Amino acid sequence: MKKTFALNTEPHVADVGGVELLFQPEVMGDDFMDAYQSLIDAQKSSGVSLDDLAGIDPAQLRNVSRALRDFLSRLMLPESAEVFTRLDVVVDGKPVESFTDAAEAEAYAAELAGARIVDGLRLPDRVLIELLEWVVELFGGGNGQRPPTSSGGSAAASLPPGRRGTANSRSAGSTRTSGR
């Protein structure tokens, strides 16, 4: 028997407020797990419990948000990852320089009076969480959105519920033995 497995070849698209973020068609399991572990490690090292955000230092929460963006960007195509992780150094409400590395953005901003760092693609936290959930479902498995395979290799459909015949009835609860 031959079973054919298809691979996704087209990028997955997340349309976020009109900006299309392209995610890799397929992600190898270890690449996904390495990226996810980095996210978990960042969350743990920050001391932030996502179940209890009361009294959390905003800087710690920003670090977790940055780690979430880094995780998602590792699963994107490079052009989308660059848009998604871009940090703008802003002075008087106007971007003066853009970076993809947070440390470089912080160093540059430290040299400018009144500078602050903002995400180039500003998104509400709920959208970041929805993207996380979608990506985990997409690449972590269990979404039912796998590419089609050849129908010749598919298993037969399950029978509908209900009485299935004598063999199932006996095995389902009959204590009668043959020969009596």
Side-chain angles (χ1 to χ4, degrees), residues 82-129:
E82 188 173 320
V83 168
F84 191 68
T85 59
R86 190 185 82 230
L87 296 168
D88 293 334
V89 175
V90 176
V91 177
D92 296 327
K94 295 180 183 145
V96 293
E97 191 68 49
S98 294
F99 299 87
T100 54
D101 182 87
E104 290 176 12
E106 288 169 8
Y108 185 81
E111 296 174 5
L112 301 174
R116 65 185 189 103
I117 301 170
V118 298
D119 290 305
L121 179 60
R122 298 190 66 180
L123 298 173
D125 289 341
R126 69 170 177 78
V127 172
L128 290 174
I129 298 300

Side-chain angles (χ1 to χ4, degrees), residues 1-20:
M1 176 194 289
K2 178 180 177 180
K3 174 109 172 124
T4 302
F5 295 88
L7 296 175
N8 288 316
T9 57
E10 295 297 318
H12 302 281
V13 180
D15 186 329
V16 181
V19 175
E20 288 190 342

Side-chain angles (χ1 to χ4, degrees), residues 136-149:
V136 168
E137 188 174 308
L138 191 65
F139 297 126
N143 69 344
Q145 295 291 332
R146 297 286 176 233
T149 59

Side-chain angles (χ1 to χ4, degrees), residues 18-67:
V19 175
E20 288 190 342
L21 299 172
L22 302 179
F23 286 81
Q24 298 174 38
E26 294 285 352
V27 173
M28 300 305 118
D30 56 339
D31 293 339
F32 175 81
M33 291 309 299
D34 289 346
Y36 194 71
Q37 187 63 52
S38 293
L39 173 62
I40 298 301
D41 291 346
Q43 183 263 322
K44 285 181 182 176
S45 70
S46 72
V48 173
S49 169
L50 297 177
D51 295 327
D52 181 18
L53 298 177
I56 298 298
D57 176 17
Q60 290 176 305
L61 205 48
R62 279 189 194 94
N63 290 338
V64 172
S65 179
R66 178 62 29 208

